[in-house]
Amino acid sequence: MSTPENARAGTELFRELARMVTSLSEEEGLRSFSLPYSGLAQRALDRTVAHCIDIGETPPTSLPELWEWCLRRRADDRLFKVPASFVTPETTLVHPIGRMPTRACLEVASHGPIGGMAGEARVLLNDLEARCGSTERYRRCRQFLARRPVVHQKDRGPGWSRALWSHVKDFYRPLPESLLVGEVFPYCPTCRLPARPSDPATDLPGQPSSHEKLWCEGEECPRDRGFELIRDPRLAVVLRRSLRAFLVLPHLVEEAALGALDKAGIAYTAVSGEPAAYRLRGVGPGTPEVRMYDRLQPALLAAHIADSVDSASRTVAVVPQRNADRSGYRESFIEALPPALRGRVAVTTPADLVRGLGALDDGDGPGRAGRGGPESTHEEEKDDA
């Protein structure tokens, strides 16, 4: 019989399994788990077995079996009973085609003080900002990382900046075996992140596919272009997974949002220490912040923002249109905010950003349309990387 204590234990177990899946995905030989298991994996397995005994469930007998559970069992499964106020009920931790952590898994693993991969990405970017020494150099380095998750040796031709590469090269590593299919590296032409077909023998590169036949780390990219291949992966390096998930994916949102601000003549300056965050000038009282994200779980996004903003600040979270259009996404985001922030934090899309700023100006919470500030443009420091 399920009890509130079991439900809480199930939610904590779900979070622990998310951290385990994220950690194991960074190790080679992902499909051939062997004894002895890592301490993190052994603890997660032991805790799962104990929880199963508590609720009358047959426990997994090995780490490979537990990994399969993470692939099949949803957040609302009897094993977990994770409340919808934490993650959406259909959330799973391992993608059935990619056999890698889902984006939701990375977001769950990043929830809380440990920070997970989102925290790692923030630390890496803060270190890069400190080493760059100028706003413009840091902007160019971030842009390089966001637009080039994979760098091939043939890319280093005319126009290649050795100075810029010296700042960012440590964020790349050789393509791991877990991302290869045979002797090639498939990638998605939309998000430019690693991809994998369900059947490499029949699913051909460059041909339209379905979501059931193809996985990419972006997970939600259109499939009309299929996937592409790098046939000499030993000559390529790939960006660290934390930056692929929490820099590359939200970068399109950032570019679209900044474009909307530029078009409206709204001035902005980057916030040091907070990736993809900008303070606006000349828009109502004070200096509101705009932050750009691509997060699938609205409650976890709200929790992240609540932990990192001042209760007196006005903040707009900008997310992709497809996320905001999901049933209940906006409502779940607002409900997950502390009451003190619900009139000062809003969620919107790049297309609605300028109008959405007016909702915070009036102090009536998100949802009302408004106009942007006076005609002014942002100024960027001129500097060579």
Side-chain angles (χ1 to χ4, degrees):
M1 178 183 237
S2 179
T3 66
E5 291 74 19
N6 284 339
R8 285 193 292 271
T11 300
E12 286 305 309
L13 176 61
F14 192 76
R15 294 175 61 182
E16 184 167 348
L17 291 177
R19 292 191 289 267
M20 179 203 74
V21 167
T22 300
S23 176
L24 290 180
S25 70
E26 293 295 285
E27 300 178 11
E28 289 299 318
L30 192 58
R31 295 170 184 78
S32 57
F33 300 107
S34 58
L35 292 169
Y37 302 145
S38 69
L40 179 65
Q42 186 64 60
R43 286 191 299 273
L45 177 58
D46 293 344
R47 187 168 181 178
T48 303
V49 170
H51 184 64
C52 286
I53 293 173
D54 287 341
I55 65 173
E57 180 95 11
T58 302
T61 59
S62 65
L63 185 57
E65 185 178 347
L66 180 57
W67 188 269
E68 291 297 319
W69 280 26
C70 293
L71 183 153
R72 293 183 286 106
R73 299 202 176 216
R74 300 170 14 143
D76 61 354
D77 187 272
R78 176 174 178 265
L79 178 67
F80 304 119
K81 290 190 176 297
V82 179
S85 59
F86 184 68
V87 296
T88 52
E90 70 279 5
T91 299
T92 56
L93 300 178
V94 177
H95 195 279
I97 296 175
R99 312 289 293 189
M100 297 290 279
T102 59
R103 287 179 56 189
C105 176
L106 299 183
E107 293 177 20
V108 172
S110 296
H111 177 67
I114 297 176
M117 284 201 169
E120 177 184 297
R122 185 170 182 162
V123 169
L124 291 173
L125 291 173
N126 286 347
D127 177 67
L128 174 64
E129 182 179 19
R131 287 189 288 108
C132 282
S134 76
T135 301
E136 175 62 11
R137 184 181 294 117
Y138 175 57
R139 184 193 67 81
R140 291 179 61 186
C141 287
R142 276 186 76 248
Q143 188 176 74
F144 181 97
L145 295 169
R147 294 178 176 179
R148 293 176 178 263
V150 179
V151 175
H152 196 277
Q153 187 171 319
K154 66 183 179 183
D155 296 332
R156 306 181 194 187
W160 180 262
S161 171
R162 292 184 179 179
L164 189 152
W165 179 243
S166 69
H167 285 291
V168 302
K169 64 181 180 180
D170 289 342
F171 295 148
Y172 292 84
R173 62 172 184 166
L175 282 167
E177 194 174 312
S178 58
L179 295 180
L180 302 183
V181 176
E183 299 297 321
V184 299
F185 168 70
Y187 68 94
C188 171
T190 300
C191 65
R192 307 177 305 281
L193 297 177
R196 178 174 290 125
S198 59
D199 185 356
T202 59
D203 298 330
L204 302 178
Q207 293 190 359
S209 186
S210 67
H211 281 76
E212 292 75 25
K213 291 186 176 182
L214 181 66
W215 163 84
C216 71
E217 285 185 351
E219 292 186 1
E220 302 191 325
C221 298
R223 302 301 185 216
D224 55 326
R225 296 169 62 190
F227 62 96
E228 302 295 337
L229 295 177
I230 291 179
R231 299 186 182 276
D232 46 359
R234 289 177 296 179
L235 301 179
V237 290
V238 65
L239 196 61
R240 295 174 66 155
R241 180 70 196 271
S242 60
L243 293 173
R244 302 201 303 268
F246 296 103
L247 172 64
V248 174
L249 287 175
H251 187 67
L252 290 178
V253 181
E254 182 178 0
E255 288 190 326
L258 294 184
L261 294 176
D262 287 339
K263 186 176 180 180
I266 297 175
Y268 53 85
T269 56
V271 176
S272 179
E274 184 66 39
Y278 298 84
R279 288 194 180 93
L280 307 185
R281 300 196 299 273
V283 182
T287 52
E289 275 190 15
V290 173
R291 299 185 180 189
M292 295 74 165
Y293 300 95
D294 189 348
R295 303 280 184 101
L296 300 184
Q297 298 296 326
L300 297 183
L301 174 57
H304 165 74
I305 292 176
D307 287 341
S308 58
V309 301
D310 186 279
S311 60
S313 67
R314 296 179 300 140
T315 304
V316 179
V318 187
V319 301
Q321 189 75 48
R322 65 179 181 276
N323 292 8
D325 288 346
R326 283 197 183 92
S327 176
Y329 188 97
R330 296 172 188 258
E331 294 79 5
S332 296
F333 175 87
I334 297 301
E335 289 173 5
L337 290 170
L341 291 180
R342 290 179 187 171
R344 296 185 175 275
V345 175
V347 63
T348 189
T349 66
D352 293 332
L353 171 58
V354 174
R355 285 186 301 157
L357 292 173
L360 295 182
D361 288 347
D362 297 334
D364 292 331
R368 292 183 54 188
R371 297 187 60 83
E375 295 290 328
S376 59
T377 58
H378 67 287
E379 296 181 359
E380 292 182 342
E381 175 185 354
K382 301 300 181 183
D383 183 77
D384 292 327

